[in-house]
Amino acid sequence: DGGITQSPKYLFRKEGQNVTLSCEQNLNHDAMYWYRQDPGQGLRLIYYSQIVNDFQKGDIAEGYSVSREKKESFPLTVTSAQKNPTAFYLCASSKGAGRTYNEQFFGPGTRLTVL
Amino acid sequence: GQQVMQIPQYQHVQEGEDFTTYCNSSTTLSNIQWYKQRPGGHPVFLIQLVKSGEVKKQKRLTFQFGEAKKNSSLHITATQTTDVGTYFCAGREGNRDDKIIFGKGTRLHILP
């Protein structure tokens, strides 16, 4: 089955710890994205990558880091510098490369709770 | 920077009534996309509009893109309980950058 997977579905961490969220896709998509969703806030872009070994900051990148060493994988690290990390994190991918029709496919999300 | 505003934030309708959500951008868009997120789920792509004044239909859903390519709407005719969820619009400025900006969404509640 082709798709985009995120793990784990629920994650609990203590304050001050870094945590890495996994995102994998087998759709052969060039572009990948990380969003944060808070109640009433919609989806806010954290980081995105249009090609392997390259990524750009989104609107709320502070306190987060990413890597794109492989086309299939785009892990997100929530660092201890992120002041309010508890949220629902969504990963997405799209065909990318500036195509006109460029729908995004979302993973099931990871709900992170920092205690 | 680019902003995408979406109204209303919440909407309660009686089952069988119509529903409309509106999306407005501060800048001209190259295209606009619509997504639906069911409660507890993740956003799922519904449609993309590219041309000025474009209208597309999917069964009871009608999507419009404004003539100036700065606004869009989603209209649902005769809502059903399966329509419950949050509807997001997402706008893209250029064709080279794959980044899109999401509106905050409209949460639709259906009263039986």
Side-chain angles (χ1 to χ4, degrees):
Chain A
D1 277 344
I4 180 164
T5 57
Q6 291 183 246
S7 60
K9 190 170 182 178
Y10 298 96
L11 190 55
F12 297 88
R13 277 295 181 269
K14 290 184 179 179
E15 195 173 342
Q17 288 182 334
N18 290 358
V19 59
T20 298
L21 310 185
S22 161
C23 178
E24 303 278 331
Q25 54 99 358
N26 61 3
L27 299 167
N28 199 32
H29 284 172
D30 286 319
M32 296 187 75
Y33 314 79
W34 273 105
Y35 295 93
R36 170 182 172 138
Q37 188 171 36
D38 297 283
Q41 291 293 320
L43 292 132
R44 292 186 289 170
L45 183 65
I46 305 172
Y47 270 97
Y48 66 110
S49 167
Q50 294 184 244
I51 200 166
V52 174
N53 291 322
D54 188 39
F55 48 83
Q56 289 81 40
K57 292 182 179 180
D59 301 315
I60 55 166
E62 187 175 346
Y64 300 98
S65 67
V66 293
S67 63
R68 186 86 188 276
E69 296 175 4
K70 298 188 299 181
K71 189 175 186 177
E72 304 79 25
S73 179
F74 191 40
L76 172 75
T77 297
V78 184
T79 75
S80 56
Q82 168 50 235
K83 289 184 173 27
N84 187 17
T86 294
F88 186 46
Y89 290 89
L90 286 158
C91 179
S93 70
S94 68
K95 289 181 182 176
R99 289 178 171 78
T100 300
Y101 288 94
N102 199 20
E103 66 185 275
Q104 294 193 4
F105 293 80
F106 283 82
T110 293
R111 197 167 294 277
L112 173 64
T113 302
V114 175
L115 306 170
Chain B
Q2 181 193 1
Q3 288 189 329
V4 174
M5 311 297 290
Q6 196 173 347
I7 57 169
Q9 190 174 359
Y10 301 96
Q11 183 84 59
H12 293 79
V13 300
Q14 206 76 34
E15 188 176 5
E17 291 182 339
D18 293 358
F19 159 77
T20 305
T21 173
Y22 301 91
C23 190
N24 288 286
S25 170
S26 57
T27 58
T28 302
L29 301 170
S30 62
N31 63 57
I32 195 155
Q33 298 175 352
W34 285 90
Y35 292 79
K36 177 184 178 180
Q37 184 175 23
R38 293 182 185 276
H42 58 274
V44 175
F45 175 80
L46 293 176
I47 208 160
Q48 177 169 306
L49 305 172
V50 176
K51 299 175 185 174
S52 170
E54 189 170 13
V55 178
K56 286 188 176 180
K57 292 192 176 185
Q58 289 179 351
K59 297 183 180 179
R60 295 178 293 105
L61 277 61
T62 302
F63 304 84
Q64 293 188 338
F65 199 12
E67 294 290 341
K69 299 184 76 172
K70 294 179 77 171
N71 63 302
S72 181
S73 65
L74 157 60
H75 180 82
I76 303 178
T77 304
T79 55
Q80 300 175 357
T81 54
T82 53
D83 296 325
V84 164
T86 301
Y87 293 85
F88 293 98
C89 62
R92 187 172 168 207
E93 277 193 320
N95 278 324
R96 293 174 59 188
D97 194 310
D98 294 307
K99 174 178 144 180
I100 61 175
I101 304 297
F102 279 83
K104 291 189 176 182
T106 296
R107 184 177 294 179
L108 174 62
H109 295 269
I110 308 287
L111 304 169

